[in-house]
Amino acid sequence: MTVSSPKYRRVAIIGGGPAGLAAAKALGLEPTKFERVDLFERKENIGGLWYYTGKTTEAYPPVPSVDPNVGDVFETSDHREKYFSPMYKNLETNIVSSVMEYHNFPFPKGTSTFPTRNEVFEYLENYSKTIPSDVNIKVNSNVLSLTKKDGVWEVVVENFATLEISKQYYDGIVLANGHFDVPYIPKVGGLKDWNEKKPGSITHAKYFDEAKLFDNQNVLIIGNSASGIDISTQLSIKAKKVYVSSRDKSQVADIINYEVTNIGMITKYDFDDDRSVTTVDGQRFNGIDSVIFCTGYLYSLPFLKSYLTGDDAIITDGSKIHYLDKQIFYIPDPSLAFIAIPKFIIPMPLSESQAAVVARVFSGRLTLASETELRDEYSKEIEQKGNGSEFHFLKFPADVEYCRSLQSWVDENGLGKTGSQAPVWDEAKYKDREETADIKAKRLLKIVEHANKLRESGEDFRLLTE
Protein backbone atom coordinates (compact mmCIF):
# COMPACT_ATOMS: atom_id res chain seq x y z
CA MET A 1 0.00 0.00 0.00
CA THR A 2 1.27 3.47 -0.92
CA VAL A 3 0.20 6.65 0.86
CA SER A 4 1.13 10.21 -0.04
CA SER A 5 1.18 11.57 3.51
CA PRO A 6 1.41 9.84 6.89
CA LYS A 7 -1.61 9.19 9.08
CA TYR A 8 0.22 10.80 12.02
CA ARG A 9 2.49 13.59 10.78
CA ARG A 10 4.34 14.31 14.02
CA VAL A 11 5.50 11.46 16.25
CA ALA A 12 7.16 11.49 19.67
CA ILE A 13 9.03 8.55 21.14
CA ILE A 14 9.49 8.48 24.89
CA GLY A 15 12.53 6.50 25.95
CA GLY A 16 15.97 6.02 24.40
CA GLY A 17 16.67 2.42 25.35
CA PRO A 18 16.60 -0.65 23.07
CA ALA A 19 12.87 -0.22 22.37
CA GLY A 20 12.99 3.52 21.71
CA LEU A 21 15.99 3.20 19.39
CA ALA A 22 14.23 0.49 17.40
CA ALA A 23 11.17 2.72 17.08
CA ALA A 24 13.29 5.69 16.00
CA LYS A 25 14.98 3.69 13.27
CA ALA A 26 11.72 2.17 12.01
CA LEU A 27 9.96 5.53 11.84
CA GLY A 28 12.99 7.10 10.17
CA LEU A 29 13.10 4.40 7.50
CA GLU A 30 9.41 4.58 6.64
CA PRO A 31 9.08 5.46 2.93
CA THR A 32 6.17 7.78 3.69
CA LYS A 33 8.09 10.48 5.52
CA PHE A 34 6.84 11.97 8.76
CA GLU A 35 6.95 15.70 9.26
CA ARG A 36 8.82 15.26 12.53
CA VAL A 37 10.04 12.38 14.70
CA ASP A 38 11.44 13.29 18.11
CA LEU A 39 12.87 10.89 20.69
CA PHE A 40 12.99 12.06 24.30
CA GLU A 41 15.47 10.48 26.71
CA ARG A 42 15.71 11.86 30.24
CA LYS A 43 19.31 10.76 30.82
CA GLU A 44 22.35 12.41 29.24
CA ASN A 45 22.87 9.49 26.88
CA ILE A 46 20.87 6.86 25.04
CA GLY A 47 20.82 3.22 26.17
CA GLY A 48 18.00 3.18 28.72
CA LEU A 49 18.71 0.82 31.59
CA TRP A 50 21.94 -0.24 29.85
CA TYR A 51 23.35 3.25 30.41
CA TYR A 52 24.90 2.56 33.80
CA THR A 53 26.78 5.25 35.69
CA GLY A 54 26.90 3.62 39.13
CA LYS A 55 24.60 4.05 42.08
CA THR A 56 25.71 7.44 43.41
CA THR A 57 22.33 8.47 44.78
CA GLU A 58 20.96 7.25 48.10
CA ALA A 59 17.57 5.84 47.12
CA TYR A 60 15.17 3.43 48.75
CA PRO A 61 11.89 1.82 47.73
CA PRO A 62 8.63 2.47 49.52
CA VAL A 63 7.86 -0.59 51.68
CA PRO A 64 5.66 -2.24 50.65
CA SER A 65 5.73 -1.09 47.02
CA VAL A 66 2.41 -1.96 45.39
CA ASP A 67 1.35 1.35 43.85
CA PRO A 68 2.62 2.22 40.34
CA ASN A 69 2.21 5.91 41.14
CA VAL A 70 4.54 5.90 44.17
CA GLY A 71 8.22 6.02 43.32
CA ASP A 72 11.56 5.93 45.09
CA VAL A 73 12.44 7.63 48.36
CA PHE A 74 15.48 9.84 47.80
CA GLU A 75 18.00 11.68 49.91
CA THR A 76 18.54 14.23 47.14
CA SER A 77 16.41 17.03 45.76
CA ASP A 78 18.21 17.06 42.40
CA HIS A 79 15.77 15.53 39.91
CA ARG A 80 18.58 14.66 37.52
CA GLU A 81 20.13 12.29 40.05
CA LYS A 82 16.86 10.43 40.54
CA TYR A 83 17.02 8.52 37.28
CA PHE A 84 19.56 5.75 37.59
CA SER A 85 19.88 2.38 35.93
CA PRO A 86 18.71 -0.76 37.76
CA MET A 87 21.80 -2.48 36.37
CA TYR A 88 24.59 -3.34 38.79
CA LYS A 89 28.35 -3.22 38.59
CA ASN A 90 29.05 -6.86 37.70
CA LEU A 91 26.32 -7.90 35.31
CA GLU A 92 26.16 -10.07 32.23
CA THR A 93 23.08 -10.96 30.21
CA ASN A 94 21.08 -14.18 30.40
CA ILE A 95 20.80 -14.31 26.63
CA VAL A 96 23.47 -15.31 24.11
CA SER A 97 24.60 -12.45 21.92
CA SER A 98 23.50 -14.05 18.64
CA VAL A 99 19.88 -14.07 19.83
CA MET A 100 19.96 -10.51 21.18
CA GLU A 101 20.93 -8.85 17.92
CA TYR A 102 18.94 -6.36 15.90
CA HIS A 103 18.30 -7.14 12.23
CA ASN A 104 21.55 -7.36 10.24
CA PHE A 105 23.46 -5.73 13.09
CA PRO A 106 25.66 -8.31 14.81
CA PHE A 107 27.64 -7.79 17.98
CA PRO A 108 31.34 -7.15 17.27
CA LYS A 109 33.71 -10.09 17.04
CA GLY A 110 35.08 -10.96 20.45
CA THR A 111 31.84 -10.14 22.30
CA SER A 112 31.19 -12.44 25.24
CA THR A 113 28.71 -15.27 24.69
CA PHE A 114 26.63 -13.59 27.40
CA PRO A 115 27.53 -9.93 26.88
CA THR A 116 28.42 -7.71 29.81
CA ARG A 117 26.30 -4.63 30.44
CA ASN A 118 29.09 -2.47 28.99
CA GLU A 119 29.23 -4.56 25.80
CA VAL A 120 25.48 -4.17 25.39
CA PHE A 121 25.66 -0.42 25.95
CA GLU A 122 28.39 -0.03 23.33
CA TYR A 123 26.31 -2.14 20.96
CA LEU A 124 23.31 0.19 21.48
CA GLU A 125 25.48 3.24 20.94
CA ASN A 126 26.65 1.83 17.62
CA TYR A 127 23.10 0.88 16.63
CA SER A 128 21.91 4.43 17.34
CA LYS A 129 24.30 5.63 14.62
CA THR A 130 22.25 3.72 12.04
CA ILE A 131 19.11 5.75 12.81
CA PRO A 132 18.30 8.16 9.96
CA SER A 133 19.53 11.67 10.66
CA ASP A 134 16.11 13.26 10.31
CA VAL A 135 15.06 11.64 13.59
CA ASN A 136 15.77 14.06 16.43
CA ILE A 137 17.25 12.37 19.50
CA LYS A 138 16.89 14.67 22.49
CA VAL A 139 18.78 13.60 25.60
CA ASN A 140 18.47 15.31 29.00
CA SER A 141 14.79 15.63 28.12
CA ASN A 142 12.41 14.47 30.82
CA VAL A 143 8.75 14.16 29.86
CA LEU A 144 6.68 15.66 32.67
CA SER A 145 3.25 15.13 31.18
CA LEU A 146 1.54 13.58 28.19
CA THR A 147 -2.04 14.70 27.54
CA LYS A 148 -4.47 14.27 24.66
CA LYS A 149 -6.17 17.62 23.98
CA ASP A 150 -8.58 18.20 21.09
CA GLY A 151 -7.16 15.30 19.12
CA VAL A 152 -3.52 16.31 19.61
CA TRP A 153 -0.94 15.04 22.08
CA GLU A 154 0.60 17.75 24.27
CA VAL A 155 4.03 16.76 25.60
CA VAL A 156 5.53 18.85 28.39
CA VAL A 157 9.29 18.39 28.54
CA GLU A 158 11.91 19.57 31.03
CA ASN A 159 15.40 20.00 29.65
CA PHE A 160 17.81 18.96 32.40
CA ALA A 161 20.69 20.82 30.74
CA THR A 162 18.96 24.21 30.54
CA LEU A 163 16.20 23.61 33.14
CA GLU A 164 13.74 25.02 30.61
CA ILE A 165 10.22 23.56 30.34
CA SER A 166 8.52 23.49 26.95
CA LYS A 167 5.28 22.26 25.38
CA GLN A 168 5.41 20.34 22.13
CA TYR A 169 2.62 18.80 20.07
CA TYR A 170 2.31 15.49 18.25
CA ASP A 171 -0.20 13.33 16.42
CA GLY A 172 1.22 9.96 17.45
CA ILE A 173 3.07 8.72 20.54
CA VAL A 174 5.34 5.72 21.01
CA LEU A 175 5.92 4.79 24.65
CA ALA A 176 9.22 2.97 24.98
CA ASN A 177 10.08 3.97 28.53
CA GLY A 178 10.47 0.42 29.82
CA HIS A 179 9.05 -1.19 32.92
CA PHE A 180 12.01 -1.29 35.30
CA ASP A 181 11.34 1.82 37.33
CA VAL A 182 8.83 1.08 40.10
CA PRO A 183 9.89 -2.00 42.09
CA TYR A 184 7.30 -4.46 43.31
CA ILE A 185 7.54 -5.34 47.00
CA PRO A 186 4.47 -7.22 48.27
CA LYS A 187 2.58 -6.66 51.49
CA VAL A 188 3.70 -9.17 54.10
CA GLY A 189 3.01 -9.08 57.81
CA GLY A 190 5.66 -7.15 59.75
CA LEU A 191 7.54 -5.91 56.69
CA LYS A 192 6.47 -2.27 56.93
CA ASP A 193 7.23 -2.18 60.66
CA TRP A 194 10.69 -3.65 60.02
CA ASN A 195 11.48 -0.97 57.45
CA GLU A 196 10.31 1.81 59.78
CA LYS A 197 12.54 0.53 62.59
CA LYS A 198 15.58 0.06 60.37
CA PRO A 199 15.21 2.26 57.27
CA GLY A 200 17.23 1.07 54.30
CA SER A 201 17.46 -2.54 55.45
CA ILE A 202 14.60 -3.53 53.14
CA THR A 203 15.56 -2.96 49.52
CA HIS A 204 15.12 -4.26 45.98
CA ALA A 205 17.34 -5.55 43.17
CA LYS A 206 16.93 -2.16 41.49
CA TYR A 207 19.18 -0.59 44.15
CA PHE A 208 21.77 -3.36 44.37
CA ASP A 209 25.21 -2.48 43.01
CA GLU A 210 27.91 -4.75 44.42
CA ALA A 211 28.36 -7.44 47.06
CA LYS A 212 31.01 -5.74 49.18
CA LEU A 213 28.37 -3.31 50.47
CA PHE A 214 26.89 -6.28 52.38
CA ASP A 215 30.16 -7.46 53.90
CA ASN A 216 29.68 -9.80 56.89
CA GLN A 217 25.87 -9.42 56.86
CA ASN A 218 23.12 -11.99 57.02
CA VAL A 219 21.20 -11.26 53.83
CA LEU A 220 17.81 -12.55 52.77
CA ILE A 221 16.99 -12.60 49.04
CA ILE A 222 13.32 -12.80 48.07
CA GLY A 223 12.90 -14.49 44.70
CA ASN A 224 14.87 -17.00 42.67
CA SER A 225 14.58 -15.43 39.23
CA ALA A 226 17.65 -14.52 37.19
CA SER A 227 18.46 -11.51 39.39
CA GLY A 228 17.87 -13.51 42.57
CA ILE A 229 20.30 -16.23 41.51
CA ASP A 230 22.91 -13.76 40.28
CA ILE A 231 22.79 -11.43 43.28
CA SER A 232 22.80 -14.30 45.81
CA THR A 233 25.85 -15.78 44.09
CA GLN A 234 27.71 -12.48 44.24
CA LEU A 235 26.70 -11.95 47.88
CA SER A 236 27.94 -15.41 48.86
CA ILE A 237 31.48 -14.04 48.57
CA LYS A 238 31.14 -11.23 51.11
CA ALA A 239 28.06 -11.89 53.23
CA LYS A 240 28.16 -13.92 56.42
CA LYS A 241 25.07 -15.85 55.41
CA VAL A 242 22.78 -15.73 52.35
CA TYR A 243 19.22 -17.04 52.29
CA VAL A 244 17.05 -17.24 49.17
CA SER A 245 13.32 -17.41 49.76
CA SER A 246 11.06 -18.61 46.97
CA ARG A 247 7.61 -20.00 46.37
CA ASP A 248 8.53 -22.39 43.57
CA LYS A 249 11.51 -23.96 41.89
CA SER A 250 13.52 -21.50 39.82
CA GLN A 251 12.57 -21.33 36.15
CA VAL A 252 16.07 -20.08 35.32
CA ALA A 253 18.25 -22.92 36.53
CA ASP A 254 18.52 -25.50 39.31
CA ILE A 255 21.77 -24.26 40.83
CA ILE A 256 23.36 -25.72 43.94
CA ASN A 257 25.44 -23.20 45.85
CA TYR A 258 26.49 -24.50 49.24
CA GLU A 259 27.10 -20.95 50.43
CA VAL A 260 23.41 -20.13 49.88
CA THR A 261 20.51 -21.56 51.90
CA ASN A 262 17.23 -21.96 50.05
CA ILE A 263 14.12 -21.51 52.18
CA GLY A 264 10.36 -21.32 51.65
CA MET A 265 8.16 -18.31 51.11
CA ILE A 266 8.24 -15.77 53.94
CA THR A 267 4.89 -15.22 55.66
CA LYS A 268 6.02 -13.06 58.60
CA TYR A 269 8.72 -10.50 59.39
CA ASP A 270 9.44 -9.64 63.03
CA PHE A 271 12.10 -7.02 63.63
CA ASP A 272 11.65 -7.08 67.41
CA ASP A 273 12.11 -10.85 67.61
CA ASP A 274 15.82 -10.74 66.80
CA ARG A 275 15.16 -9.57 63.22
CA SER A 276 13.53 -12.91 62.36
CA VAL A 277 11.46 -14.23 59.49
CA THR A 278 9.06 -17.16 59.40
CA THR A 279 8.44 -19.30 56.32
CA VAL A 280 5.22 -20.85 55.09
CA ASP A 281 6.34 -24.22 56.49
CA GLY A 282 6.99 -22.77 59.96
CA GLN A 283 10.78 -22.42 59.84
CA ARG A 284 12.28 -19.41 61.62
CA PHE A 285 15.51 -17.62 60.72
CA ASN A 286 16.88 -14.79 62.82
CA GLY A 287 19.61 -12.16 62.80
CA ILE A 288 18.71 -10.89 59.33
CA ASP A 289 20.56 -7.66 58.53
CA SER A 290 19.27 -6.89 55.03
CA VAL A 291 16.44 -8.05 52.80
CA ILE A 292 16.69 -7.70 49.01
CA PHE A 293 13.53 -8.26 46.99
CA CYS A 294 14.12 -9.70 43.52
CA THR A 295 10.43 -9.63 42.74
CA GLY A 296 10.17 -7.65 39.56
CA TYR A 297 8.54 -4.33 38.75
CA LEU A 298 5.19 -2.67 38.28
CA TYR A 299 4.16 -1.05 35.02
CA SER A 300 4.19 2.70 35.54
CA LEU A 301 3.28 5.70 33.37
CA PRO A 302 3.79 8.65 35.74
CA PHE A 303 3.73 11.25 32.97
CA LEU A 304 0.53 10.04 31.25
CA LYS A 305 -2.40 12.28 32.13
CA SER A 306 -5.03 10.88 29.75
CA TYR A 307 -6.95 7.60 29.73
CA LEU A 308 -6.38 6.94 33.43
CA THR A 309 -9.99 6.66 34.60
CA GLY A 310 -13.21 4.95 33.58
CA ASP A 311 -13.84 1.57 32.04
CA ASP A 312 -10.98 2.03 29.55
CA ALA A 313 -8.34 3.04 32.10
CA ILE A 314 -4.99 2.12 30.61
CA ILE A 315 -3.32 1.34 33.92
CA THR A 316 -4.70 0.51 37.36
CA ASP A 317 -2.65 -1.51 39.85
CA GLY A 318 0.47 -1.74 37.70
CA SER A 319 0.19 -5.44 36.96
CA LYS A 320 -0.55 -4.84 33.28
CA ILE A 321 -1.27 -2.28 30.60
CA HIS A 322 -4.94 -2.57 29.67
CA TYR A 323 -6.65 -2.57 26.27
CA LEU A 324 -3.63 -3.23 24.07
CA ASP A 325 -4.08 -4.75 20.66
CA LYS A 326 -1.22 -7.09 19.79
CA GLN A 327 0.53 -5.88 22.96
CA ILE A 328 1.12 -2.58 21.13
CA PHE A 329 -1.80 -0.28 20.30
CA TYR A 330 -4.15 1.26 22.85
CA ILE A 331 -7.48 0.18 21.41
CA PRO A 332 -9.58 3.28 22.32
CA ASP A 333 -6.89 5.50 20.75
CA PRO A 334 -4.32 3.73 18.53
CA SER A 335 -2.31 6.94 18.17
CA LEU A 336 -0.78 5.72 21.44
CA ALA A 337 1.52 2.75 20.90
CA PHE A 338 3.79 0.77 23.23
CA ILE A 339 7.06 -1.02 22.49
CA ALA A 340 8.54 -3.86 24.61
CA ILE A 341 5.75 -4.22 27.17
CA PRO A 342 5.82 -8.07 27.16
CA LYS A 343 7.98 -9.99 29.63
CA PHE A 344 10.28 -13.00 29.19
CA ILE A 345 11.27 -11.74 25.76
CA ILE A 346 14.43 -10.78 23.87
CA PRO A 347 14.21 -6.97 23.85
CA MET A 348 16.11 -6.02 20.69
CA PRO A 349 14.52 -8.33 18.09
CA LEU A 350 11.04 -8.04 19.62
CA SER A 351 11.32 -4.24 19.67
CA GLU A 352 12.24 -4.21 15.99
CA SER A 353 9.31 -6.49 15.15
CA GLN A 354 6.90 -4.22 17.01
CA ALA A 355 8.51 -1.03 15.68
CA ALA A 356 8.17 -2.24 12.09
CA VAL A 357 4.42 -2.58 12.64
CA VAL A 358 4.09 0.74 14.49
CA ALA A 359 5.89 2.64 11.72
CA ARG A 360 3.65 1.16 9.04
CA VAL A 361 0.45 1.82 11.02
CA PHE A 362 1.47 5.37 11.92
CA SER A 363 2.31 6.12 8.29
CA GLY A 364 -1.00 4.66 7.16
CA ARG A 365 0.48 1.87 5.05
CA LEU A 366 -0.88 -0.76 7.45
CA THR A 367 -4.42 -0.54 8.76
CA LEU A 368 -5.81 -1.75 12.07
CA ALA A 369 -9.17 -3.46 12.33
CA SER A 370 -12.18 -1.53 13.66
CA GLU A 371 -12.34 -0.74 17.37
CA THR A 372 -15.18 -3.25 17.78
CA GLU A 373 -13.11 -6.01 16.19
CA LEU A 374 -10.04 -5.10 18.25
CA ARG A 375 -12.06 -5.19 21.47
CA ASP A 376 -13.41 -8.62 20.54
CA GLU A 377 -9.89 -9.91 19.90
CA TYR A 378 -8.70 -8.41 23.18
CA SER A 379 -11.53 -10.09 25.11
CA LYS A 380 -10.56 -13.44 23.63
CA GLU A 381 -6.94 -12.87 24.65
CA ILE A 382 -8.05 -12.03 28.19
CA GLU A 383 -10.02 -15.29 28.31
CA GLN A 384 -6.90 -17.21 27.33
CA LYS A 385 -4.32 -15.43 29.49
CA GLY A 386 -6.26 -13.76 32.29
CA ASN A 387 -6.40 -10.08 33.14
CA GLY A 388 -3.33 -9.93 35.38
CA SER A 389 0.40 -9.78 34.85
CA GLU A 390 0.48 -13.02 32.85
CA PHE A 391 -1.30 -11.22 30.03
CA HIS A 392 2.11 -9.85 29.02
CA PHE A 393 4.04 -13.10 29.45
CA LEU A 394 5.64 -14.34 26.23
CA LYS A 395 7.77 -17.22 27.41
CA PHE A 396 9.59 -19.12 24.70
CA PRO A 397 8.39 -20.25 22.20
CA ALA A 398 5.49 -17.76 22.50
CA ASP A 399 7.90 -14.83 21.96
CA VAL A 400 9.13 -16.23 18.66
CA GLU A 401 5.61 -17.08 17.51
CA TYR A 402 4.53 -13.55 18.39
CA CYS A 403 7.32 -11.94 16.34
CA ARG A 404 6.55 -14.25 13.42
CA SER A 405 2.87 -13.26 13.56
CA LEU A 406 3.78 -9.57 13.33
CA GLN A 407 6.03 -10.27 10.37
CA SER A 408 3.25 -12.26 8.69
CA TRP A 409 0.90 -9.31 9.10
CA VAL A 410 3.42 -7.06 7.35
CA ASP A 411 4.18 -9.59 4.59
CA GLU A 412 0.54 -10.45 3.88
CA ASN A 413 -0.06 -6.78 3.12
CA GLY A 414 2.85 -6.66 0.69
CA LEU A 415 4.88 -4.34 2.92
CA GLY A 416 7.82 -6.53 3.80
CA LYS A 417 10.32 -5.18 1.27
CA THR A 418 10.06 -1.45 2.00
CA GLY A 419 10.65 0.27 5.31
CA SER A 420 12.32 -1.15 8.39
CA GLN A 421 13.12 -4.83 8.66
CA ALA A 422 12.85 -7.04 11.72
CA PRO A 423 15.03 -10.07 12.52
CA VAL A 424 13.97 -13.26 10.77
CA TRP A 425 13.34 -16.15 13.14
CA ASP A 426 14.66 -18.91 10.93
CA GLU A 427 15.52 -22.40 12.16
CA ALA A 428 19.04 -21.43 13.23
CA LYS A 429 17.93 -18.43 15.26
CA TYR A 430 15.05 -20.42 16.74
CA LYS A 431 17.48 -23.13 17.86
CA ASP A 432 19.79 -20.55 19.45
CA ARG A 433 16.82 -19.17 21.38
CA GLU A 434 15.74 -22.65 22.40
CA GLU A 435 19.18 -23.59 23.73
CA THR A 436 19.91 -20.30 25.52
CA ALA A 437 18.49 -21.42 28.88
CA ASP A 438 20.56 -24.62 28.98
CA ILE A 439 23.72 -22.77 27.96
CA LYS A 440 23.13 -20.17 30.68
CA ALA A 441 22.47 -22.88 33.30
CA LYS A 442 25.87 -24.41 32.55
CA ARG A 443 27.41 -20.96 32.68
CA LEU A 444 25.85 -20.35 36.12
CA LEU A 445 27.47 -23.51 37.49
CA LYS A 446 30.85 -22.14 36.45
CA ILE A 447 30.03 -18.76 37.98
CA VAL A 448 29.22 -20.43 41.32
CA GLU A 449 32.59 -22.24 41.22
CA HIS A 450 34.24 -18.93 40.34
CA ALA A 451 32.51 -17.22 43.27
CA ASN A 452 33.63 -19.93 45.68
CA LYS A 453 37.26 -19.47 44.63
CA LEU A 454 36.99 -15.70 45.10
CA ARG A 455 35.51 -16.23 48.56
CA GLU A 456 38.33 -18.57 49.56
CA SER A 457 40.96 -16.06 48.41
CA GLY A 458 39.18 -13.11 50.04
CA GLU A 459 38.64 -11.23 46.78
CA ASP A 460 35.71 -9.10 45.70
CA PHE A 461 33.35 -10.44 43.08
CA ARG A 462 34.27 -9.90 39.45
CA LEU A 463 32.77 -11.29 36.28
CA LEU A 464 34.03 -14.64 35.04
CA THR A 465 35.87 -14.18 31.77
CA GLU A 466 35.48 -16.74 29.00
Side-chain angles (χ1 to χ4, degrees), residues 31 78 250 257 274 307 327 338 359 375 377 399 427 431:
D78 189 337
S250 176
N257 184 346
D274 194 21
Y307 306 125
Q327 303 277 338
F338 293 78
R375 286 184 181 273
E377 290 178 10
D399 59 338
E427 290 186 12
K431 185 178 181 182

Side-chain angles (χ1 to χ4, degrees), residues 57-67 70-75 84 181-186 191-192 194-196 198-208 214 291-298:
T57 299
E58 289 294 327
Y60 309 97
V63 179
S65 180
V66 294
D67 187 341
V70 178
D72 302 319
V73 179
F74 290 98
E75 292 187 359
F84 58 91
D181 197 29
V182 178
Y184 171 65
I185 298 178
L191 185 63
K192 182 177 180 181
W194 185 309
N195 186 65
E196 290 174 347
K198 191 179 179 183
S201 62
I202 308 294
T203 187
H204 186 274
K206 174 183 177 179
Y207 312 91
F208 175 81
F214 297 85
V291 182
I292 304 175
F293 279 82
C294 297
T295 43
Y297 295 80
L298 297 171

Side-chain angles (χ1 to χ4, degrees), residues 216-353:
N216 205 36
Q217 290 190 23
N218 294 322
V219 184
L220 170 63
I221 305 290
I222 307 298
N224 61 353
S225 62
S227 60
I229 292 175
D230 196 26
I231 291 174
S232 65
T233 300
Q234 295 192 23
L235 287 172
S236 68
I237 292 178
K238 288 295 182 180
K240 182 189 299 183
K241 187 71 179 177
V242 179
Y243 302 94
V244 174
S245 166
S246 60
R247 178 187 287 108
D248 304 304
K249 180 180 178 180
S250 176
Q251 297 184 30
V252 178
D254 187 13
I255 302 299
I256 298 176
N257 184 346
Y258 293 108
E259 300 299 333
V260 174
T261 301
N262 292 291
I263 63 177
M265 184 177 69
I266 306 299
T267 57
K268 178 184 178 183
Y269 293 81
D270 194 334
F271 184 85
D272 295 328
D273 185 16
D274 194 21
R275 306 192 309 282
S276 66
V277 297
T278 303
T279 66
V280 66
D281 52 0
Q283 289 186 293
R284 177 180 174 276
F285 300 89
N286 65 312
I288 304 297
D289 297 301
S290 295
V291 182
I292 304 175
F293 279 82
C294 297
T295 43
Y297 295 80
L298 297 171
Y299 291 102
S300 178
L301 303 170
F303 46 79
L304 184 63
K305 307 304 179 185
S306 298
Y307 306 125
L308 299 179
T309 59
D311 293 339
D312 290 340
I314 198 167
I315 190 168
T316 51
D317 62 0
S319 63
K320 72 183 285 280
I321 304 296
H322 301 287
Y323 299 102
L324 292 189
D325 174 55
K326 299 178 180 62
Q327 303 277 338
I328 301 173
F329 300 99
Y330 180 53
I331 294 171
D333 182 358
S335 69
L336 180 61
F338 293 78
I339 302 286
I341 287 296
K343 297 181 179 180
F344 304 106
I345 52 91
I346 315 296
M348 284 73 155
L350 181 131
S351 293
E352 277 197 319
S353 293

